[in-house]
Structures are given as C-alpha cells and as structure tokens.
Amino acid sequence: MSGVGLELRRRNGDESGRSGKFGGREEDEEEEEENEKGLEAWERAYADERSWESLQEDEYGLLRPIDSATLHHAQYRRRAQSYSSAVRIQKGLIRYLYVVIDLSRAAAETDFRPSRRAVVAKNVEIFIREFFDQNPLSHIGLAIIKDGVAHCLTDLGGSPESHIKALLGKLECSGDASLENALDLVHGCLCQIPTYGHREVLILYSALSTCDPGDIMETIQKCKKARIRCSVIGLSAEIYICKHLCEQTGGIYSVAMDESHLKELLLEHAPPPPAIAEFAAANLIKMGFPQRESETAVSICSCHQTAKVGGVYTCPRCKARICELPTECRICGLTLVSSPHLARSYHHLFPIDPFLEVPLNNVNQKSPKACFGCQQSLLKPGSNSIIRVACSKCKQHFCLDCDIYIHESLHNCPGCESVRSSKLGNEQ
Amino acid sequence: MASAAPTKLYADDVSLVVVLIDTNPFFWTTSEKNSSSLSFADFISHVLPFLNAIMLLNQLNQVVLIATGVNSCEYIYDSSLPHQQSADGKMPAFYSEILTKLEQFVSKDQRLAKNDSSLTMSSLLSGSLSLALCYIQKIFRAGPLHPQPRILCLQGSPDGPEQYVGIMNAIFSAQRSMIPIDSCVLGTQNSAFLQQASHITGGIYQKPAYPDGLFQYLSAVFATDLQSRSFLRLPKPPGVDFRASCFCHKKTIDMGYICSVCLSIFCKHHKKCSTCGSNFNQSQQDASSTLDHKRKTPEA
C-alpha cells in the first residue's frame, strides 16, 4: 500500500545532533564512527543507510562529503530573506488548537520506524512543548480517531505536562479513521471559546480513507463558517478530501516524507499563524498578574485544595491561592498570567531586522577582527571565505553562527542593546 | 570508569562563569557617599579575588568578564585566551590586565555619554546579557564536551524599563539553553528584572544585607558549580514580583486589560489599542465576563 516507496527514503540526518550537523559525513568508516561521538551502534536512532547521498563531487571530480555547516547557513539565509520580505503581519497570539491524532489501523504501519504512532507521539510531544514555548497564552486540546469515532483525550488547557501524560498513556490503534467525526467533535469544543481566540485544528492523518456517517462536505462548510482553521499533516499519501478541507478553511496541507520531515512540518505549526482580521475580533481581556509568595510561606491552594509550602501565587482580585500559571481563578474567574508569559510573545511583535552580509571585498584593515557577539575571530588564515554579517542599525559585525542564534533564539541584537537607543535614533 | 580521557577532564563540575559587572558611574558615586555601602574600588577588590577563586577551584574552570556600562558593553577579560606576563611584577598579570581594560572601558563609556543630554540612571543589562549568551553559544557549538555555563550579574543600578523586552528575550533564550542566571544586587532596591531572570532560569537571586562582606557572599553562594549546588542549602528568595507595567503610563499594575491582538498591557479600558491600532468595538466594559460565561455563550 502506501509508504513502500517512502521507506527507502528514511533518513535521519538531522537527528544525530550537533556532531552530525557541523561535522559533515566522512567517507571513511572510522571517521564516521568519530562523527557519532560516543554513541554505540544500538544507541543511535535509525541511522542513515544512504551514506552516498551525503557525498558530492567537487570541481576536480573527487568525492567530498557535503559541507553541512555551509549548507545549513545557506538554508538559513534563504529563510531569513523570505521572512524579511513578508513585512509586518498581524499574528494570532491567543490560539485554541486541537491536535487530532489518527490512531486507526493505518497508524500501526511500520514504514516510519518503529511505527507511525510511536513517531507521531514522539513528535507531538516535542510540538506541544515548542507550542507552549512560543504561544504561552494559548491552549491545546488532544483528540484521537479510532474505530471510526473520535474521542477527546484532553480538554483545552495550558499545561504541557498533562497533555503529554494523557497522550503517552493511550497509544493503541484499531479500526478505521473518520475525518467527519473528528471535525464534528472539534467543532463542538471550539465553538465555546471566547471570540478573540483563534480556533485551529491540526490533524495528523495516517489513513488513506475516511469512513464517515454523513456528508463530509457539509461538515467542512460548518467548520469554515465557525472560522476554524484546519491543517492536516498526512503520513501516507496526499488525499483529496484533506487538501479540500485545508483549502476551504485556510489551513496548510502537507505530507511527511520521513521522520525528520514530519518533525519539520509539525514544528511549522508552532509559531503563531498570520491572523485573519475577521476571524477573531480584537478585544480587551481583563487579566490579573499575581505575585509569587515567599518560598517559605505555607498556604492552601484553591486548585488542588492541599497545603503547600512556598511558590504559591495570589489572585489580585479575590486573594485566592493558585499554584500554577497561566490559569483562570477558580473563585472569581479572572484570567491569571505572569508578566513573563506576555513578554514571551513580544518578540513576534518587535522582530529584529535580518543582518546583511558584508561583501568580502568591503572587509579591510579597519573592519572588526572578531564577531561582536561571541568574540570568534572573523579572520581565519588560510580559509578563503569567512562570511560575516552586519546589523543595519548598529553596524556591528557578527559571525554566521551568532546570526542564526540571534534571529532564531535570542531575538535581541547584542550590538543595538549595547547602545543607548536614543543614540541610534540620532545617527540615522 | 571506562570513559575516554576528555570526558573525564570536562566532568560535571567544570564551570564557565560569565560575570557581568555594573560600571554605572551614577550608581557608584551615590553608593560611595552612603557609608553602609561599597565604593567601586572596594567592589573591584572583592570581585577580583572571587574570579581568581573560581579559577582555583578547578583547573579547567573558565571566567569571562563583561562590563555593563551606561552607553556600551564590552568584553573585559577571558581566561581562555593567552595572556602576557605582568610587566612590573607587583600585581598578578591577571589583575593588572582586568584593571587596565576596565579603566579604558569606563573612560570610553564616559566619552560616549558626553554628547547625550538625557540622563539615564540604568545600565545596559540587556546588552551584556545578550553578549554573554552569544559567548556561551560558542562554547556549546564547540562540541558535546564543554564546561557548564552560568551567568552571574553583579548589578547595582536600578532597572531600566525601556530594556524590558530585550531583557525578557535574553531570559527566555537562556531558559531554552538551560543557562542559569545568578544575580547579586548591590543597590538599595530589589531588581524585579533580575528576580524574574533568576526565577525563570533557575539561578540564585541574592541581595546582600551587608555589602561590606561581598566577597563572602560571592564565595559562599555563587562560587559552587551547578552540580554541587543541589547539595547546598542556598538562600531562598523572598518572593518574585511578577507584576507588569502598563504601556500607557508605565505604572506597575496587578490587574489590567490586555489587547488580544498584540498583548499590550493597559491599566484602563481603551477604545483603540495604541500599539497595534485595533478597535475594540465590542461594547464590553468587562471582557472577563465573556470568560466567566464562555461555556454558556454559543457561537454567533
């Protein structure tokens, strides 16, 4: 059936961690061994069996390992360019997302190793953590499709641990998949959320068919009307109905080729999607910022009704004690967040401009000798190209590694942060 | 132990300590007048032996010193780089190098301030934190064997509200890379930024009651490596101020209104968001009422 051709394409290049990323793959077995630093054969995740794919021919016709570090940088630069071209878009920061996992018979297939369901569960776990990291005020719910029906595994909630625990407990698969039942279930749940929230569904679909009790086209229209953005990641082959669903509701449809591709596709859904203005009405939400009490104070929390020592928050309106944020106060219903939760999203609002590459012929004696960020030398004797980039605002030079770190994790330009901002404004 | 030689060398108690020192002249001049607090010279004389002590604790320990000024931030010292011998032999080479670099930095920082009319009392903590994180990423890139990094902020001057977003971004990046940010606050007030930084990243926050004994605080609380910390009974913070400041008046509030589009914080109900320009046309005085009744209201 499906996936027979895909099986051969299984690669695990990115999974082998740092050493694989920067070391490149060597022709010699010994060097290959060294690459997998410290990992025994049985410890490695399903290792690359197509080592010839990581070779390339150089200008003399000799075989060379692909310089993965350069490749990585080139990929990154392309992405950075595409980001910068997409100017400021409003993003949906408060998301209500249902992740629907297909646990029908098809999920037991072993074309993904050890099986589709295991791979899906592992990657959904990574996704949930990443999702809450990037969307701290959002909620996730889990649902599964099994035996032709859909079940809610967890209700919409803000705690990653409870979802992951529920997911890993329920992983048997059987029966057929039903797209319509899943959409009906999620539609019912998402209709209750407040209007400012962005409603989304992400379906991880293993089956090649759907076994529906009614007209699925009607259900799709219903979802479209309810402004639910439906995205599907297929694990087998492209299916028309999934594509139709995504097109109708404004979601993304993609099919994973292998495990690392699946992870990539899944994580694409973690950053907040562009918001469609009429989908969610702008609104002011009343929120409270509780203070954390001293680590030695003893109090009874209202959520578990147990006595706790230290680390308890106090609702500013009704003074009830809460042990976890973000949440809704059990007593007065006020949404409680801590200010870092809000601050976590600010980098989406104030992104830093991509750094510009400094042409090598512009580099002269006066240019900085080391990367401003990490002090790595930018002049390597013997090496022909050390690419350097510069911030358009503060004109400091950075190495590519810092460039990637600054734009993908830090979201601060160390150069601009090290200058009084009033000065930067004057210079321009 | 059958592990290879380099694994043994970089055991779990080898540390890389990035120390950020506050050189804010506004803070240190007011501090000098106050008899109970330190002068900058005293402060340095406490910090230098501490840095030396860290390097003595383990042969492989590494220390990086970054100065946080009012107008700039700069690397002062990196123990991994080759160093020249002291010229006169009166002072250890390491001390004289730090002192010369620090002097150069402070005078340069002062020059930068000359053509600036607006007087700001805060230091550029977000800049030095960003530098420290970039440096630590370089250590991570070097391979799987590296010393355990941590950041120690020795901060005196008050928080600069304009750096809020920058500092928060740095804190979250540190949290993702599991780098604890320790903070030792020498000023008169607690620093809400550093309280949050240490709380979120799992570092230690300490405000010494007797600044005269700074060296003792540093060596007792901040010198131990991350592995040994779990065995120590370290000071517990008195609580963390998680309140936010509103965008409209920069007031610290414990309850407020959040724009659902851009998450800007306001202390009063507005008709229009001043950050993103969205109109809140729904006539709702209290948006939280929708939350209370959310299960009852069906989709329109």
Side-chain angles (χ1 to χ4, degrees), chain B residues 5 14 44 62 65 82-83 94 96 98 101-102 111 134 146 196 200 224 230 233 257-258 260 276 283-284 290 296:
Chain B
V14 180
I44 292 298
Q62 195 188 331
L65 190 65
H83 297 286
F94 146 75
S96 62
I98 290 180
K101 280 292 268 302
L102 210 53
R111 270 204 308 282
C134 281
H146 54 75
Q196 296 188 14
I200 292 169
T224 37
S230 48
R233 208 179 152 80
Y257 293 92
I258 314 290
S260 70
C276 65
S283 56
Q284 271 173 314
T290 48
K296 290 167 209 158

Side-chain angles (χ1 to χ4, degrees), chain A residues 316-336:
Chain A
R317 187 151 75 181
C318 65
K319 311 288 177 224
R321 304 285 200 271
I322 295 101
C323 59
E324 211 181 38
L325 292 181
T327 183
E328 238 169 72
C329 177
R330 291 281 168 120
I331 311 295
C332 66
L334 184 67
T335 311
L336 300 173

Side-chain angles (χ1 to χ4, degrees), chain B residues 175-194:
Chain B
Q175 185 196 21
R176 268 194 290 272
S177 323
M178 316 246 265
I179 306 163
I181 301 177
D182 298 332
S183 25
C184 184
V185 174
L186 304 161
T188 43
Q189 290 160 340
N190 275 314
S191 155
F193 285 173
L194 286 175

Side-chain angles (χ1 to χ4, degrees), chain A residues 362-427:
Chain A
N362 275 14
V363 176
N364 50 30
Q365 292 294 316
K366 276 185 200 158
S367 350
K369 290 186 181 61
C371 163
F372 184 78
C374 66
Q375 299 290 293
Q376 178 85 41
S377 169
L378 290 170
L379 312 164
K380 227 177 226 167
S383 171
N384 43 7
S385 65
I386 288 270
I387 309 166
R388 53 170 78 190
V389 289
C391 171
S392 52
K393 269 194 193 142
C394 63
K395 310 278 186 274
Q396 298 288 1
H397 288 194
F398 295 92
C399 65
L400 267 181
D401 288 318
C402 276
D403 180 18
I404 295 176
Y405 173 67
I406 287 165
H407 282 92
E408 300 207 324
S409 174
L410 185 61
H411 307 294
N412 265 349
C413 169
C416 301
E417 293 294 329
S418 307
V419 183
R420 279 271 153 222
S421 45
S422 55
K423 284 262 171 66
L424 272 180
N426 294 343
E427 276 168 25

Side-chain angles (χ1 to χ4, degrees), chain A residues 224 228-231 244-253 273-274 276 279:
Chain A
K224 191 182 173 187
I228 299 176
R229 182 179 188 262
C230 306
S231 301
H244 180 71
L245 166 69
C246 298
E247 273 171 6
Q248 288 291 310
T249 58
I252 304 170
Y253 180 50
I276 301 166
F279 268 37

Side-chain angles (χ1 to χ4, degrees), chain B residues 101-134:
Chain B
K101 280 292 268 302
L102 210 53
E103 221 172 294
Q104 283 167 7
F105 171 77
V106 171
S107 52
K108 199 186 106 198
D109 199 37
Q110 200 180 6
R111 270 204 308 282
L112 283 170
K114 277 221 172 109
N115 37 14
D116 194 0
S117 52
S118 62
L119 273 180
T120 30
M121 294 289 283
S122 56
S123 302
L124 289 165
L125 182 62
S126 59
S128 57
L129 269 178
S130 306
L131 286 180
L133 288 167
C134 281

Side-chain angles (χ1 to χ4, degrees), chain A residues 133 199 283-285 287 289 292 335 339 344 346 349 373-375 401 405 409 412 417-418 420 423, chain B residues 70 72 75 112 122 126 138 141 162 166 173 175-176 199 242 254 256 258 260 262-263 287 291 294 299:
Chain A
D133 194 51
R199 299 144 190 220
N283 209 337
L284 275 182
I285 315 158
M287 287 194 190
F289 305 102
R292 193 181 163 88
T335 311
S339 52
R344 232 174 232 279
Y346 288 154
L349 303 171
C374 66
Q375 299 290 293
D401 288 318
Y405 173 67
S409 174
N412 265 349
E417 293 294 329
S418 307
R420 279 271 153 222
K423 284 262 171 66
Chain B
V70 183
S72 57
Y75 284 93
L112 283 170
S122 56
S126 59
K138 183 175 86 175
R141 284 196 295 271
E162 74 283 356
S173 188
Q175 185 196 21
R176 268 194 290 272
H199 176 75
F242 272 130
D254 58 5
I258 314 290
S260 70
C262 64
L263 305 184
L291 286 178
K294 69 175 191 186
E299 164 65 7

